[in-house]
Amino acid sequence: MNCQKVVDVIAAWIAKQIEAANVDGIVIGLSGGIDSTVVAALAHSSDVRITGVVMPCGSDPQDSADAYLGGAADCDEVVELDLTA
């Protein structure tokens, strides 16, 4: 398997979906886990504007720290929406 080719195909698909939706970018929920980190990286490869949202809700503080770490690498901005209350 050519991993770079897979990344390129997925990134092109993401860019095409954003163009078809006539929007300027996407919002990704960042959990700090591998799934949201991979999605953010793939979206970053598509060269679109990405806003990452961290939504802690009584979770382990390390999860938020991991989410910010992954988001900082791939998102244009990262915001927090605390769902604890």
Side-chain angles (χ1 to χ4, degrees):
M1 175 187 294
N2 182 334
C3 293
Q4 187 58 54
K5 183 172 180 165
V6 172
V7 168
D8 292 344
V9 167
I10 294 171
W13 180 84
I14 291 170
K16 182 178 176 182
Q17 299 307 307
I18 291 169
E19 183 179 336
N22 196 31
V23 295
D24 294 328
I26 59 174
V27 175
I28 299 173
L30 300 172
S31 66
I34 189 72
D35 295 339
S36 63
T37 302
V38 168
V39 169
L42 289 168
H44 180 79
S45 295
S46 69
D47 198 31
V48 299
R49 178 154 176 74
I50 306 166
T51 299
V53 181
V54 180
M55 297 175 278
C57 184
S59 56
D60 184 339
Q62 186 62 49
D63 293 340
S64 290
D66 292 343
Y68 276 102
L69 184 62
D74 294 310
C75 297
D76 297 294
E77 72 174 320
V78 178
V79 298
E80 182 172 313
L81 177 60
D82 192 343
L83 302 177
T84 305

